[in-house]
Amino acid sequence: MIRFIAIAVAVVTSVAGDYFVKQGSTAVKESTTNMTLKIFSQPKTLFGVGLLTIHFVALALAFRLAPITLIVPLMATTHILNTIVARTILHEKVNWLRWTGVMVIVLGVTVLSAGE
């Protein structure tokens, strides 16, 4: 049970971390030589980096507790969730080819996780 909690925490913090890093990086409008410094001084970027740190800790714990053949397919759900976040929250355009890719990932995760 703890391995699935670790994987779930890794997935959720990965998606949330990606979202906040995206928000922080797009808050910097100008392209300058110190743009990277400005991006990493954004509170949302720092929060996202913190979430991604939690993600890596949870992922390391999951690798300790479960086989990689279980973890990697379940971590692929981050692609699905990031696409949903991109479309619904960030209002990015997601074409049919990307949605097809998401469906392939869903099918792959289902097949590969069926053995557990």
Side-chain angles (χ1 to χ4, degrees):
M1 181 65 164
I2 189 84
R3 66 185 184 172
F4 289 109
I5 293 171
I7 295 169
V9 169
V11 167
V12 170
T13 54
S14 175
V15 173
D18 290 344
Y19 169 79
F20 281 104
V21 169
K22 168 78 172 176
Q23 290 295 300
S25 63
T26 55
V28 176
K29 301 298 182 199
E30 69 275 357
S31 291
T32 61
T33 54
N34 62 348
M35 185 174 59
T36 302
L37 183 60
K38 287 185 177 185
I39 289 171
F40 279 95
S41 66
Q42 295 293 316
K44 288 182 180 179
T45 302
L46 295 174
F47 185 66
V49 169
L51 288 171
L52 291 170
T53 302
I54 295 168
H55 156 76
F56 282 112
V57 170
L59 186 59
L61 178 61
F63 280 133
R64 171 72 176 88
L65 299 172
I68 195 169
T69 56
L70 172 66
I71 296 166
V72 172
L74 292 177
M75 288 305 300
T77 59
T78 60
H79 301 296
I80 300 163
L81 296 172
N82 276 328
T83 303
I84 293 168
V85 166
R87 179 66 189 108
T88 60
I89 297 173
L90 298 173
H91 305 290
E92 294 180 357
K93 292 181 181 178
V94 181
N95 64 28
W96 68 270
L97 195 55
R98 290 186 185 174
W99 284 118
T100 302
V102 167
M103 291 299 109
V104 169
I105 293 170
V106 168
L107 179 62
V109 168
T110 303
V111 169
L112 291 172
S113 299
E116 285 298 316

